[in-house]
Amino acid sequence: MSDRAHVPPASSTALPLGRLAPLYVAQALATGATTVSTILASLVMSGLGRESLTGLPSTLISASAALSAGLFGALMLRAGRRLGLGVAFALGAAGAVVGFAGARASVTPVFLLGAVLMGAAQGGYQQARYAAAESVPESRRGTALGLLMLMSVFGAFVMTGFSGVVETLGSRLGTSAEVAGWLVGGGLLGVAALLMLAWVPVRSPAQLSTQARLSVRAAFAVPGVRSTALALATAQGVMVTLMSLTPLRAHHAGVDHTGVAALISGHIAGMFAFGWLTGPLIDRLGLRFGYIGGALLLVLAALTAPLPGTAWLGVSMFVLGLGWNLAFVSGSKALARYPAAQGVTDGLGYVVAGVGTLVGGLVIARAGFPVLAHACAVLALLPLVSAWRVGKG
């Protein structure tokens, strides 16, 4: 069925939850799988005896996502969101299974291949948020994105809240819980791919406007697009860098798998659980509120991460997620009007995240975690530039 078949009335303010349900559930399951690939990959790499390269899997995930985001964006513009998202979810399922097989067999190149495939999939299925935003009037897009964030927390907690079940699975398969989690992630993404068969996309009149048909170059020349890309890339880079490497710091401090899972749960709660609040607030108070609030929280997260004691790690991970949420929802709402810029902007965010995790691993090895955290605090101020540029171009 064509994506153009269903266009909500411009005057409607109700969210089309019935049509959006398969998309929301699929994205929730994908978030659970992403939790495995990006957060626990450093621990898997450490278990393979590659301590100095613990940031490499996340870097490969981000790099392949950066390369695929533009391609998936172009595919969705030509063939529709449903096909593009379905292909992305299926590719992620295959990548997770490959990564599991490689890690279980202790074949590092195969595990890294799985990470590459997972990253390529993320470059596609993370653009589901634009499909949600396009389904409602512009005044309600923050709310639609916030609800998508809220739904995502359920899929994430499948991986973190049931860490004991994953540990049992790993034991039965003769491997660690971190490795077994990749297999579970593959199953979640497989279900997400099937859900795309049941999803009927909704397209808004904004998608059919002149802005939707701009070239990438023309889209980035539109006032506000470049500053929006800056906020999205910064939030993604700082969040992924600290999210990926803080569990390693906790592991070195003697925190066990259940403790690491608790840290991750707190981080995911910050990222997604308050979407019911942040989305409507951004609709009401505007993009500037989201950028400023997001930047300040990201700075706070970076400054508290190196403080002694695991309790501060928990605070940092939660605040990190909430700061990312504010900046990410604001930027995604702003960019929903310019489909030609979406894939490239997402790709830029993945590049920043990939560089951050790779350099971050090296910084930790040579100078320590506090140096990395303080550098992230400085970079987290950049969305303030985006806040200043709102309405200025």
Side-chain angles (χ1 to χ4, degrees):
M1 182 177 295
S2 170
D3 280 10
R4 300 176 186 272
H6 298 274
V7 179
S11 61
S12 174
T13 59
L15 298 183
L17 295 180
R19 297 189 189 280
L20 286 173
L23 179 66
Y24 280 174
V25 174
Q27 189 67 7
L29 296 176
T31 302
T34 302
T35 300
V36 177
S37 62
T38 58
I39 299 180
L40 298 182
S42 62
L43 298 182
V44 173
M45 201 67 175
S46 178
L48 291 172
R50 307 284 183 174
E51 187 77 15
S52 63
L53 297 176
T54 51
L56 182 58
S58 292
T59 298
L60 291 176
I61 289 170
S62 296
S64 56
L67 292 173
S68 72
L71 297 175
F72 272 111
L75 173 63
M76 292 180 200
L77 285 176
R78 290 196 306 267
R81 296 288 187 188
R82 180 164 63 172
L83 176 62
L85 291 173
V87 170
F89 288 132
L91 178 62
V97 173
V98 170
F100 162 77
R104 186 185 182 196
S106 298
V107 181
T108 301
V110 175
F111 171 68
L112 294 177
L113 173 61
V116 168
L117 295 175
M118 281 286 284
Q122 285 185 38
Y125 64 68
Q126 293 292 2
Q127 295 182 49
R129 69 188 192 277
Y130 296 121
E134 292 161 359
S135 303
V136 300
E138 188 169 350
S139 63
R140 297 281 284 165
R141 285 178 174 173
T143 301
L145 288 164
L147 182 57
L148 182 68
M149 297 291 188
L150 179 61
M151 290 296 296
S152 295
V153 76
F154 296 112
F157 281 142
V158 168
M159 302 305 303
T160 58
F162 295 95
S163 58
V165 175
V166 178
E167 284 184 328
T168 300
L169 176 62
S171 178
R172 290 181 178 179
L173 295 175
T175 188
S176 68
E178 291 81 13
V179 173
W182 277 68
L183 183 62
V184 176
L188 296 179
L189 286 166
V191 174
L194 293 176
L195 282 171
M196 290 299 93
L197 299 176
W199 175 49
V200 179
V202 183
R203 294 184 60 131
S204 73
Q207 264 200 299
L208 306 178
S209 69
T210 302
Q211 299 285 12
R213 294 189 288 271
L214 290 176
S215 66
V216 172
R217 183 174 181 179
F220 275 91
V222 173
V225 172
R226 283 174 291 184
S227 59
T228 298
L230 175 66
L232 284 170
T234 300
Q236 185 74 5
V238 171
M239 185 275 290
V240 171
T241 298
L242 290 176
M243 175 191 72
S244 299
L245 297 174
T246 296
L248 182 62
R249 171 177 168 81
H251 184 68
H252 287 162
V255 179
D256 60 14
H257 175 78
T258 301
V260 172
L263 288 175
I264 295 171
S265 296
H267 174 64
I268 291 169
M271 289 178 71
F272 302 119
F274 291 87
W276 60 272
L277 176 63
T278 57
L281 277 177
I282 290 166
D283 279 340
R284 180 179 294 271
L285 300 179
L287 301 178
R288 186 172 284 116
F289 162 78
Y291 292 146
I292 294 174
L296 295 180
L297 289 175
L298 289 171
V299 171
L300 179 62
L303 293 178
T304 54
L307 296 179
T310 55
W312 283 115
L313 287 178
V315 171
S316 173
M317 290 288 275
F318 172 78
V319 174
L320 178 70
L322 187 59
W324 172 86
N325 179 295
L326 281 169
F328 199 71
V329 171
S330 297
S332 297
K333 175 180 178 176
L335 209 60
R337 291 189 296 165
Y338 308 104
Q342 292 167 3
V344 175
T345 299
D346 279 9
L348 178 61
Y350 289 122
V351 168
V352 175
V355 172
T357 52
L358 180 61
V359 174
L362 296 174
V363 169
I364 290 174
R366 297 189 179 186
F369 184 84
V371 174
L372 171 67
H374 293 150
C376 286
V378 174
L379 294 174
L381 293 170
L382 288 175
L384 295 178
V385 176
S386 304
W388 174 65
R389 297 294 297 178
V390 168
K392 297 177 181 294

